[in-house]
């Protein structure tokens, strides 16, 4: 596939422009940032139809999915940052502490500098311009490196950015590994990488050389647990939607299902119904199904299906040249099956039978922490048990995938599924912000305890300074025991004093 690549020799000058843009100080002005953010929202809104076209070229993405899953959410990121930036940028005060109060402690929100955002192919707007909103809100200048695989969308982004945004503040470098490798030679205020874990290790190693802080938005295998109490019709409808939207190329697609053995047949019956209703007898003719990004990825998925020891009960057809993978369901597979070996990132659903909830929990906890965990149950105890025995980037009960767009909620992975996050809203702003402690210390403090820190040291000075150490440790826990809950004696004492005063006043007035 041919795509435009920024000549490597142009990269230093592009970066330098952003360094100068940051040094000019213009991004410190909140109104300037707001202007960029609203421009970003308009970039997407004015060109919605063109983006729908490029997403159709790159992924044959249906119009509904491009609007619902990508463009609306990205505009929402820019708009939310535009609307809330005054609140987010306000300095924060710590809790009251007499030792520090007179030093006027404040946490200022500073931009990190020139930041680099490397995007993936599967959500070429949301994963590139979503973090851009957070980075702009925080006052950074930004270099964007879209994925070379979704090249039509990357071309359009590169065309529109200079038309809508200040070129001192946002630039685009197009291309693949050579361009990314060149960019990694530089130190960045922050680096956001969205993509697979293998490349994340390369990026992390390069970032370590320049001490660049990194956010990793990665993927992995997000499991679904179907408990025997689940509403199976609902579970089948939602799981199949999550599996087939964008042809399964969503970081939070349900990757595989662990179904309680008592309801396996009934669940599969519901899955068959949804499959027929959604895509009919000829899914290859459906307008509701995206294509895989490249023949390479289509043949990767084909190999996973070809090598499964499970039974393919629905779909299974792959046309590598057409980048088509049929919505496919596979059952009767073991834990070491090819389909359970790596993130599928395609519309193929493996169904694994488990004996009970504990079996499902063990299956999940013996693998990497997933980016998302989905639980279908109507039993609150089962829900609590699963939530408290597992860990994942996020967990959703009785639905899949939609949490990625949930306003004001942190989105990101844990362990192998990522670290940090760049959406949504304030969480993205925080990622690109340096929280800078400031104190403004009055001279008169040296006349009291703080003056005792200066040499020559004496016992009296030490005594003075020890009065500042206010903590009083509770009794040491007995060997093998755990600490007792802390008593809220201060609260009770305050209530008792308030009660006594109220009683006293009442008595006086009567
Ligand atoms: P990709 O192939 O588009 O690569 C992502 C980026 O990495 C591209 O910009 C590419 O140019 C760059 N890259 C590739 N090789 C590189 C190298 N050797 N050195 C430096 N840069 C390099 O996309 P992908 O990695 O296949 O993306 C899919 C993965 O991303 C899936 O695992 C998916 O789950 C994950 N993902 C995660 C999120 C999230 O928010 N957590 C969102 C979308 C996708």
């Amino acid at each position: 596939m041919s795509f435009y690549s920024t000549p490597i020799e142009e990269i230093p000058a592009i970066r330098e422009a952003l360094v100068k843009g940051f040094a000019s100080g213009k991004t410190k002005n909140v109104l300037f940032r707001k202007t960029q953010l609203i421009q970003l929202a308009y970039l997407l809104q004015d060109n919605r139809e063109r983006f729908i076209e490029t997403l159709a070229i790159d992924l044959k993405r249906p119009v509904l999915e491009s609007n619902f899953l990508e463009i609306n959410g990205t505009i929402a990121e820019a708009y939310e940052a535009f609307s809330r930036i005054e609140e987010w940028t306000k300095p924060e005060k710590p809790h009251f502490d007499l030792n520090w109060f007179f030093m006027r402690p404040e946490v200022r929100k500073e931009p990190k500098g020139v930041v680099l955002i490397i995007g993936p192919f599967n959500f070429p707007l949301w994963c590139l311009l979503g973090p851009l909103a957070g980075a702009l809100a925080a006052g950074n200048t930004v270099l964007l490196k879209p994925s070379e695989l979704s090249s039509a969308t990357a071309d359009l982004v590169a065309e529109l950015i200079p038309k809508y945004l200040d070129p001192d503040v946002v630039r685009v470098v197009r291309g693949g590994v050579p361009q990314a490798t060149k960019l990694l030679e530089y130190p960045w205020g922050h680096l956001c990488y969205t993509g697979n874990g293998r490349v994340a290790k390369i990026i992390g190693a390069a970032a370590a050389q320049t001490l660049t802080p990194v956010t990793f938005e990665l993927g992995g295998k997000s499991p679904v647990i179907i408990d025997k109490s689940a509403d199976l019709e609902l579970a089948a409808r939602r799981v199949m939607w999550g599996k087939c939207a964008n042809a399964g190329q969503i970081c939070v697609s349900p990757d595989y299902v662990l179904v309680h053995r008592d309801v396996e047949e009934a669940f599969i019956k519901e899955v068959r119904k949804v499959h027929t209703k959604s895509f009919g007898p000829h899914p290859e003719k459906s307008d509701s199904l995206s294509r895989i990004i490249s023949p390479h990825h289509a043949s990767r998925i084909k190999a996973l299906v070809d090598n499964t020891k499970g039974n393919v009960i629905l779909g299974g057809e792959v046309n590598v040249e057409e980048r088509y993978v049929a919505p496919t369901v596979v059952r009767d597979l073991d834990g070491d099956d090819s389909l359970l070996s790596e993130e599928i990132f395609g519309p193929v659903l493996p169904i694994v039978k488990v004996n009970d909830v504990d079996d499902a929990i063990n299956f999940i906890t013996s693998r990497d922490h997933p980016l998302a965990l989905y639980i279908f149950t109507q039993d609150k105890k089962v829900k609590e048990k699963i939530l408290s025995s597992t860990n994942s980037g996020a967990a959703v009960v009785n639905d899949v995938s939609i949490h990625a767009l949930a306003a004001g909620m942190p989105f990101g992975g844990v362990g192998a599924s990522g670290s940090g996050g760049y959406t949504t809203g304030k969480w993205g702003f925080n990622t690109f912000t340096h929280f800078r402690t400031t104190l403004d210390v009055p001279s008169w403090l040296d006349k009291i305890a703080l003056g005792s820190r200066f040499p020559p040291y004496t016992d009296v000075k030490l005594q003075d300074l020890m009065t500042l150490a206010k903590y009083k440790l509770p009794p040491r826990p007995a060997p093998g025991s755990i600490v007792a809950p802390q008593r809220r004696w201060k609260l009770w004492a305050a209530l008792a004093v308030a009660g006594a005063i109220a009683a006293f006043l009442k008595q006086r007035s009567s």
Side-chain angles (χ1 to χ4, degrees):
M1 192 190 295
S2 71
F3 55 87
Y4 174 81
S5 292
T6 305
I8 299 284
E9 58 277 14
E10 288 179 14
I11 290 177
I14 294 172
R15 184 176 184 278
E16 198 46 38
L18 294 170
V19 171
K20 283 202 181 118
F22 185 71
S24 75
K26 60 165 92 170
T27 61
K28 293 278 179 109
N29 181 337
V30 167
L31 292 178
F32 175 84
R33 298 184 201 178
K34 285 185 77 124
T35 311
Q36 297 300 301
L37 287 164
I38 202 66
Q39 283 288 100
L40 175 57
Y42 275 111
L43 180 158
L44 288 152
Q45 182 161 295
D46 295 347
N47 299 284
R48 186 184 285 269
E49 295 308 319
R50 292 187 70 196
F51 278 119
I52 286 170
E53 273 170 33
T54 63
L55 291 165
I57 294 169
D58 289 329
L59 291 150
K60 199 171 179 280
R61 170 98 66 72
V63 176
L64 182 148
E65 286 182 12
S66 288
N67 280 312
F68 174 54
L69 294 177
E70 178 128 31
I71 300 174
N72 291 354
T74 316
I75 296 177
E77 283 293 324
Y79 179 67
E80 188 176 353
F82 171 83
S83 311
R84 295 183 188 272
I85 187 169
E86 286 87 356
E87 175 197 322
W88 297 346
T89 48
K90 246 189 237 153
E92 277 175 38
K93 301 256 184 230
H95 66 83
F96 175 78
D97 184 319
L98 191 59
N99 280 355
W100 302 99
F101 175 74
F102 294 107
M103 301 183 197
R104 294 181 276 262
E106 232 177 39
V107 180
R108 289 171 62 98
K109 319 284 180 67
E110 305 286 3
K112 289 187 170 178
V114 187
V115 305
L116 172 62
I117 298 174
I118 300 180
F121 70 80
N122 63 324
F123 277 87
L125 296 178
W126 189 71
C127 295
L128 193 75
L129 305 186
L132 173 61
L136 289 174
N140 302 281
T141 58
V142 187
L143 200 148
L144 299 171
K145 212 300 273 164
S147 174
E148 67 278 25
L149 294 183
S150 42
S151 56
T153 307
D155 284 350
L156 185 54
V157 166
E159 177 199 319
L160 296 174
I161 289 276
K163 291 184 181 159
Y164 282 79
L165 299 173
D166 186 332
D168 292 348
V169 174
V170 188
R171 295 285 183 112
V172 182
V173 164
R174 271 179 291 172
V177 177
Q179 282 70 21
T181 305
K182 179 70 188 168
L183 291 170
L184 292 173
E185 287 175 8
Y186 296 100
W188 300 92
H190 196 88
L191 193 168
C192 240
Y193 168 75
T194 308
N196 67 71
R198 183 186 58 77
V199 172
K201 289 179 188 166
I202 298 171
I203 302 231
Q209 295 306 311
T210 56
L211 296 181
T212 292
V214 185
T215 293
F216 282 137
E217 287 281 17
L218 311 179
K221 296 186 79 64
S222 296
V224 182
I225 300 179
I226 312 268
D227 175 44
K228 62 181 175 185
S229 71
D231 176 338
L232 299 177
E233 189 257 326
L234 176 109
R237 184 169 64 240
R238 292 184 173 177
V239 169
M240 283 300 281
W241 167 73
K243 189 49 147 170
C244 297
N246 206 31
Q249 299 161 108
I250 307 183
C251 54
V252 287
S253 286
D255 189 273
Y256 63 95
V257 164
L258 299 172
V259 62
H260 193 290
R261 61 184 316 123
D262 292 357
V263 295
E264 186 196 24
E265 291 305 333
F267 174 66
I268 288 174
K269 203 169 145 197
E270 294 299 336
V271 167
R272 285 182 192 278
K273 283 191 215 160
V274 177
H275 190 279
T276 308
K277 191 172 171 196
S278 304
F279 304 109
H282 299 289
E284 73 279 9
K285 293 187 184 152
S286 166
D287 290 333
S288 305
L289 188 66
S290 299
R291 291 296 180 266
I292 301 302
I293 188 69
S294 66
H296 164 75
H297 276 284
S299 64
R300 178 186 60 78
I301 298 166
K302 183 175 184 325
L304 294 177
V305 176
D306 287 349
N307 290 330
T308 182
K309 297 200 174 66
N311 291 314
V312 177
I313 55 169
L314 288 167
E317 305 82 22
V318 179
N319 182 332
V320 169
E321 278 311 301
E322 295 290 319
R323 302 181 283 136
Y324 169 72
V325 175
T328 297
V329 179
V330 185
R331 66 179 292 184
D332 307 322
L333 26 77
D334 294 330
D336 59 356
D337 195 88
S338 59
L339 286 170
L340 298 173
S341 63
E342 62 178 71
E343 183 179 4
I344 298 171
F345 227 50
V348 178
L349 184 69
I351 298 178
V352 180
K353 184 167 52 183
V354 290
N355 293 324
D356 51 28
V357 171
D358 290 320
D359 208 5
I361 290 171
N362 289 339
F363 196 98
I364 290 165
T365 53
S366 63
R367 291 162 161 77
D368 287 335
H369 292 319
L371 186 58
L373 168 62
Y374 305 117
I375 306 162
F376 283 84
T377 183
Q378 305 201 66
D379 183 332
K380 278 189 188 155
K381 283 194 185 139
V382 167
K383 167 184 140 180
E384 273 315 314
K385 179 170 187 176
I386 297 171
L387 287 177
S388 57
S389 324
T390 57
N391 199 3
S392 57
V396 179
V397 179
N398 291 324
D399 209 334
V400 300
S401 309
I402 50 162
H403 63 285
L405 298 171
M409 301 284 274
F411 178 80
V414 52
S417 57
S419 52
Y422 50 65
T423 53
T424 69
K426 190 172 181 185
W427 300 93
F429 170 86
N430 286 352
T431 289
F432 295 103
T433 295
H434 169 57
F435 292 87
R436 184 186 190 192
T437 287
T438 63
L439 299 175
D440 178 357
V441 190
S443 56
W444 58 262
L445 278 178
D446 281 356
K447 297 200 170 61
I448 53 174
L450 259 196
S452 298
R453 67 192 145 141
F454 302 116
Y457 301 147
T458 63
D459 287 349
V460 175
K461 287 181 177 178
L462 175 61
Q463 231 20 68
D464 276 354
L465 292 174
M466 291 308 282
T467 60
L468 296 176
K470 292 181 311 176
Y471 49 81
K472 186 167 172 283
L473 298 183
R476 192 187 302 277
S481 69
I482 58 170
V483 294
Q486 273 182 293
R487 269 177 264 130
R488 311 289 302 272
W489 64 268
K490 280 186 188 162
L491 178 67
W492 290 115
L495 286 175
V497 171
I501 293 171
F504 174 71
L505 292 175
K506 198 174 163 200
Q507 199 182 28
R508 268 188 62 179
S509 63
S510 59

